[in-house]
Amino acid sequence: MTSASVPRGLARFNALEESAALAALHEVCASTAWARPLLAGRPYPTLDALYAAADAATSALTAADLDEAMAGHPPIGGPRPGDPASAREQSGMTSAPDRLKAEMRELNLAYQEKFGHVFLVCATGRTGEQLRDAARQRLGNTPERERETVRTELGRINRVRLARLAGAEDRQPRHP
């Protein structure tokens, strides 16, 4: 494979010094246990190879690692000030009517009370109504099922962010 076929952003990521690459990976996912194997796997010849490594790392996260990853995510409808990634990803809630935003705040609280962590969902491309409906539906999950749903959603978020890191936003996953 020639370097010309590697997306420019992926080539830049591959060439970063270790500390800068680790910092970039922590922008994608707050879990050190997730970032370390991705760092060790460089250089990646393709975006698909990077995705495969990310998926494997997400699957291998322990409960504590998953908690660390979730701690890096603000609630839906409340992106952290100065966090453009969360604001961009949650743009479906930005334009939502006030009543929907209030309902989402209540659902976030109910979810956190039931499961003990933030409601984590890949919000990219979803409307405020879709996000609300997802929260409502997932409140019916058992804690065990919800943990696996969170792992799946984290993997989706990580892929979206890795695509952005690699300069391949056109290859981001889409939601049904």
Side-chain angles (χ1 to χ4, degrees):
M1 169 153 297
T2 67
S3 61
S5 60
V6 176
R8 201 173 321 167
L10 181 56
R12 270 193 307 273
F13 169 70
N14 284 335
L16 288 174
E17 290 185 24
E18 186 171 319
S19 62
L22 185 59
L25 289 169
H26 275 128
E27 289 295 316
V28 172
C29 180
S31 169
T32 300
W34 179 85
R36 287 280 175 205
L38 269 75
L39 185 64
R42 292 183 314 151
Y44 293 98
T46 64
L47 185 59
D48 288 337
L50 179 60
Y51 282 165
D55 292 346
T58 301
S59 293
L61 293 177
T62 66
D65 299 332
L66 203 51
D67 288 341
E68 181 183 26
M70 285 187 291
H73 290 271
I76 295 297
R80 290 185 184 106
D83 182 355
S86 288
R88 181 175 38 250
E89 292 163 1
Q90 294 189 29
S91 64
M93 284 305 295
T94 304
S95 59
D98 288 342
R99 65 166 176 69
L100 182 58
K101 289 177 183 178
E103 187 177 0
M104 194 68 225
R105 281 191 296 276
E106 292 300 317
L107 287 165
N108 279 330
L109 290 172
Y111 181 96
Q112 182 130 14
E113 186 174 306
K114 179 173 182 177
F115 296 112
H117 56 80
V118 69
F119 170 61
L120 188 72
V121 63
C122 185
T124 300
R126 291 188 178 179
T127 66
E129 290 82 4
Q130 290 170 323
L131 294 168
R132 177 207 54 213
D133 294 348
R136 281 181 180 165
Q137 182 272 322
R138 286 176 47 195
L139 274 166
N141 285 348
T142 63
E144 297 78 21
R145 179 176 174 99
E146 187 56 22
R147 261 327 235 208
E148 288 312 307
T149 300
V150 163
R151 185 181 303 275
T152 299
E153 292 297 317
L154 178 65
R156 289 177 178 154
I157 294 165
N158 291 348
R159 278 179 166 240
V160 167
R161 291 178 175 188
L162 284 170
R164 195 174 310 113
L165 174 70
E169 290 87 355
D170 60 326
R171 295 216 31 220
Q172 290 182 9
R174 303 288 181 232
H175 298 287

